[in-house]
Amino acid sequence: MASYIARRLLWTLLLLLVITAVTFLIFYVLPTADPAAQRAGRDPSPELITAIRHQLGLDKSLPAQYVDYTKNLFLHFDFGQSFINNTSVRSLIFDRLPNTLFLVLGAAVVWFVIGVSIGIISAVRRGSFWDRLLMGGALVAISAPVYWMGLVCLYLFSNDIGVWHIFPGSGAYQDAHGFFAKCWSLVMPWLVLSAAFAAIYARLLRSNLLETMNEDYIRTARAKGLSERRVVLRHGVRSAITPVVTVLGLDIGILMGGAILTETVFNIDGVGRLSFDAIQRGDLATIQGTTIVLAAGVAIMSLVVDILYAFLDPRVRY
């Protein structure tokens, strides 16, 4: 296991190098505004733009800029300075990272609990009214776009503009103080963000559990006189949930980048929103920093999933 983790960490470093290179190429190939001209303000002189380009290192060749950036990143953990406001990108990211982690991890708990519960109920009561109702609702949740669902929830349930004043609305997270107040302000974002994932997990677990319940060791457990509840939860769910755990870890990593829509709708000051603003302003240093952090999150969660997989399934060996 130790050698496997070491190999995966080396591959992660290589992946981050590739990501930084691709981001550089995309930024320079696609038409974007000149960061030096943006920073210089209105009606700048050519001399001022030239001076700012030299200050930012934009007058160097693309390979030289890339080498300088990767050297500072891997040796000093320095993401550089924002082209727009000359603020450390590392401080910008880590100031907002807790908000994104709180949003994503809370949503992960919600969708895992809801998805697993629905999947078990549907599998145990296959073909019943509840099975058809829950799977029909899951199909609707999968089909609904996150951005649209967020706007609908704000219109129906938010305290400020909603038809029914139940949950805090857009921007409530920034004004909330204390752990429980922040949790209450994130109820709607968590539900919106977790709806599609919970539906996918419910359908996946239902399918796996139906297949697992026909295995020989399940019939043996029943023949020993074990209760149906114990057979389902102790033997059936444990085997059927392994693919769900694998998908969960990857989804948490991916969702750190995909939470940008939810952060935008509910006005949450997270890394996704920071990346979106940086793309609009052509701030390469911030785009590069947020991309690397989010990509590292995906890679780390993938490694954690592989390790957990070995504990959940004794047949897995590395």
Side-chain angles (χ1 to χ4, degrees):
M1 180 66 73
S3 62
Y4 172 76
I5 294 175
R7 292 197 306 270
R8 286 295 302 272
L9 290 176
L10 291 176
W11 276 109
T12 300
L13 291 177
L14 178 61
L15 174 64
L16 294 179
L17 281 173
V18 173
I19 290 173
T20 56
V22 171
T23 307
F24 260 95
L25 289 176
I26 291 176
F27 185 84
Y28 278 94
V29 169
L30 296 179
T32 56
D34 186 358
Q38 287 183 318
R39 190 166 176 177
R42 293 184 178 180
D43 301 324
S45 64
E47 293 78 11
L48 177 59
I49 295 178
T50 302
I52 294 177
R53 289 184 63 84
H54 178 72
Q55 178 187 3
L56 298 177
L58 297 175
D59 55 347
K60 298 180 181 180
S61 65
L62 180 58
Q65 292 184 52
Y66 178 70
V67 170
D68 291 341
Y69 182 83
T70 53
K71 186 187 301 182
N72 292 329
L73 175 63
F74 290 101
L75 295 181
H76 308 289
F77 199 58
D78 182 10
F79 293 95
Q81 302 292 115
S82 170
F83 287 170
I84 303 301
N85 51 25
N86 200 31
T87 304
S88 170
V89 174
R90 181 173 61 185
S91 64
L92 289 175
I93 292 175
F94 283 91
D95 285 344
R96 302 191 182 200
L97 187 59
N99 297 337
T100 298
L101 290 177
F102 197 23
L103 172 66
V104 171
L105 295 179
V109 172
V110 171
W111 84 57
F112 185 78
V113 172
I114 294 177
V116 169
S117 301
I118 291 176
I120 294 174
I121 294 172
S122 296
V124 172
R125 301 190 177 183
R126 179 183 181 183
S128 66
F129 167 77
W130 287 108
D131 180 26
R132 292 192 294 269
L133 177 63
L134 293 174
M135 287 298 100
L139 181 60
V140 173
I142 293 174
S143 305
V146 174
Y147 196 86
W148 175 83
M149 185 177 294
L151 294 176
V152 170
C153 287
L154 283 175
Y155 175 74
L156 293 177
F157 306 115
S158 66
N159 284 333
D160 43 7
I161 63 172
V163 177
W164 300 287
H165 298 176
I166 300 177
F167 300 112
S170 179
Y173 179 80
Q174 307 303 132
D175 300 328
H177 300 285
F179 176 78
F180 293 104
K182 288 187 176 295
C183 287
W184 179 244
S185 68
L186 286 178
V187 170
M188 269 204 301
W190 281 343
L191 292 176
V192 169
L193 200 58
S194 63
F197 289 95
I200 293 173
Y201 287 17
R203 295 174 68 88
L204 178 60
L205 181 60
R206 177 184 183 274
S207 175
N208 292 338
L209 188 55
L210 287 175
E211 182 179 351
T212 302
M213 295 304 291
N214 292 323
E215 296 291 339
D216 291 337
Y217 66 88
I218 296 294
R219 287 191 287 268
T220 302
R222 285 171 173 159
K224 289 181 178 180
L226 298 179
S227 64
E228 185 66 16
R229 180 178 180 181
R230 187 173 183 181
V231 170
V232 173
L233 298 180
R234 181 75 179 272
H235 299 278
V237 173
R238 183 177 179 181
S239 299
I241 205 172
T242 304
V244 177
V245 173
T246 303
V247 178
L248 173 65
L250 296 178
D251 284 342
I252 291 176
I254 294 172
L255 196 59
M256 289 183 64
I260 180 173
L261 294 177
T262 307
E263 290 179 358
T264 301
V265 172
F266 292 97
N267 195 21
I268 299 173
D269 205 12
V271 177
R273 182 69 180 271
L274 175 65
S275 179
F276 177 75
D277 294 338
I279 292 172
Q280 286 188 316
R281 296 179 298 179
D283 190 354
L284 173 62
T286 305
I287 297 171
Q288 193 82 5
T290 54
T291 303
I292 291 174
V293 169
L294 298 176
V298 175
I300 292 173
M301 290 308 303
S302 177
L303 176 61
V304 171
V305 164
D306 288 341
I307 296 174
L308 289 177
Y309 204 92
F311 286 101
L312 290 173
D313 191 345
R315 296 169 298 179
V316 176
R317 290 292 182 267
Y318 295 110

